[in-house]
Amino acid sequence: MSGTTIILAMDDDSEAIRINQILSSSNYHPLTVLNWKNSQWEKINWEKKNQLLISDNSTPDLVDSTTLDLNSVDLILIDDELKDNTYFKPILKELNYSNSAKSIPVILITSNSDCNDTEGIDLKENEIYLSRPFHNRELLLTFEIAFYKKNMEIALKKSEDKYRSLIENADDPIAMINYHGEFLLVNKSAALFFGCEEEKFRGKTMWEIFPKKHADSQMKNIRTVIETGKSHIFESVTLIRGEEYYFSTNIQPMPVKRGEPGAVQLIARDITPLKKVQNALEKSEEKFREVFNNANDGISLHYVDNGLPGKFCEVNDVVCQRLGYTREELLLMSPKEIINQETKEKMPEVMEKLSFDGRATFEAVQITKNGKLITTEISNHLFNLQGKEMIMSITRDISERKKSENQLLRILAGIEGTEDSIGIAMPDGSHFYQNQSFNKLFDYSIEELNTPMGPVKLFKDKELGRYIFQTIMNGNSWDGELEMTDKSARIFPAYIQANAIKNKNNRVIGLIYVLNDITERKRVEYALKTSEEKFRNLAQTAVDAIIIIDSEEKIVFSNSSLERIFDYREEEILGEYLDTLIPQRHMEDFQVKLDFFHQHDREMGNVFESFGLRKDGSEFPLEMSLNTWKAEGDVYTTFIIRDITQRKLNEFKMKMRGDIFQLMSQNIEEVFWIIDPLTGQIIYMSPSYQKIWGQTIEILYQSPRSWIESIHSDDKDKFISYIFGKNGRTIQHREKVECRVLRPDGEVRWIKVRAFPVINQNKEIYRRIGIATDISNIKDIEKAR
């Protein structure tokens, strides 16, 4: 290893030469060699220059410090019998041999055969023992172990420093306490809370800080966590400077070194104000009942029975009125008896969250006494009352809200799916919503129009645009035809309907406007006014089939595309009824849709799907756009018909691709993931994650950074940069990186990672996809070679 400084001190000259040769052959150089054998100091010249030879009769005063730079020493390899040598001890002392902060590995060559390892290698605290006789491979393996151990100690220290920084800057009081009640660490928040400096806590015990009664109670919880190894959240009262404080404390077990007493980390949250309110309510039953029964939401208290909701012990009037039971009836029941089966299936998960966090909010469907279903939102709080675990539930009827939400979702789906361009602006005229049709029509993003009066740039006549906005903001509406301009400066005619958005107090809080590009309509109108022939030319050149029927549903016009789609020539189809083109078994459904549009006086551009019948009797899916109009006292309907066979095939293929993707992701050995490039959030992780990372996907979703933290510290930066595309780089599909995964069980797995971006139609990175392959076996083979 180039640039590595190693001290070699052996009692036997030949053994020192042998070790030097082994190490030099493996690129461990230069070496500084110390040898106790000859009677005086002398310098020798082996293959390496200026190597130092020290005899056992020499004195430390003869050491040449310019030849041997002790500050640059990376490793010490000495004969076990020489480590206590009178003249060698000063060198070890200067190297701070006993100071673990230096992290200088020490390898002792010993003739003792007590090593536990079958290859004669034994790790004891800060020393590594290698027994004679040893092979070249054993010596080199010992060196690799020593340097690996050193790197791990350095990485651990960095991690500890980072952890300490987070603790020190936390807002909540945090402390580390061992099994004996001794404070190992307190952060600034804890020290400030107790009104003393951090240093004064160190070495003190719980009983020196708190009254014995409170210290005993807290130590009981601390020791339970240490003995079980499971985190616990509890509420307790503590006497500080003569005043009572209530805390919600999260106790987590901490890893400790072998032989040291167990320890925990406490994160305390001051809940004294809440407790004071609760105590006040308990002291006044009359006030409690008044507040309890006059609340807008249903409030109930029930016990916890074997980890599940037990019987009600209190309910307010809202609960009784909503469910139709009397208070006496409900006190004989439990929450499980008033919820549907789907909600019951949620309860184990809700109770687990309650046990861990102390709070849980979820949606539930409750069943009234007469069988009516009510959608509710329940906020549960777990607490102890007179030594018993209880749950307070605040239940809100959200049936109307859910209906509104579903209605809004349907409205939003309709807005996004419509061909009309829709924009919504704030009172100052800045945009905050526009649908897809709007984006396509004007090519402006929301950000570009999200400035006061920003949408005015869409109007060719800017003064007219300002006038329309002012008219709407005065509470009026406006509609009409005008000329608009898009981002490319294209000017086109449009029809606009603009209305004010008002709150329940009739105050204008914004405006909404619907735009239609009527360029085509204008062109058609002009063509119809000028010449019937121009209309025919337009219709005949259309890709879609166009037919016109009269009030008797007879075909009076068809274009050439009809022959291409239905195989009927114009002279064959004119005068025939419309049902000639529709399969008999679909005619009833088609007629219902047609009647609906006629009865409701639908506007042009309405589209629906049905089936068509070709001349040869074959059927195919089609899409129809229709418009009804009057001329010379008769009613006509124009149909624009499109063969959508290919579209349906594409939809089927997309569904098949989705099914294949799910099947593939659940059966391949490689780990496959999808990441949101903006937030870094994991959108999908394949089940093979557990095989390589050694932990479940549930744990990953609870701790989204855990898979990153499992990457070896030497590989972490390049892994993060690669999968997230940092430093402004766009990941190429052919690139890959190799990294090490440190599993929770201590096993190290090598992975090869490939990642690439997914680009949407706007040429933006929409998703980042990655695949990790386990190459540990390949690495083992390469290492063996």
Side-chain angles (χ1 to χ4, degrees), residues 48 82-83 150 346 412 425 512 566 662 738 779:
K48 308 300 176 184
L82 297 178
K83 69 175 184 178
K150 175 183 176 181
K346 292 181 182 179
L412 181 60
I512 180 171
F566 289 90
Q662 289 294 329
E738 294 181 357
K779 287 294 182 178

Side-chain angles (χ1 to χ4, degrees), residues 56-121:
D56 56 355
N57 296 323
S58 62
T59 62
D61 294 335
L62 297 176
V63 175
D64 185 353
S65 60
T66 60
T67 304
L68 180 60
D69 183 5
L70 299 181
N71 292 326
S72 64
V73 172
D74 297 297
L75 185 140
I76 305 171
L77 177 63
I78 64 173
D79 194 315
D80 185 33
E81 297 180 358
L82 297 178
K83 69 175 184 178
D84 295 324
N85 183 278
T86 304
Y87 301 110
F88 191 64
K89 268 189 174 181
I91 297 178
L92 290 178
K93 183 176 181 181
E94 187 167 350
L95 288 169
N96 284 333
Y97 170 43
S98 61
N99 185 358
S100 60
K102 292 284 289 184
S103 297
I104 300 176
V106 178
I107 300 175
L108 299 173
I109 305 296
T110 178
S111 299
N112 188 353
S113 60
D114 293 339
C115 291
N116 298 325
D117 194 278
T118 55
E119 292 186 335
I121 303 172

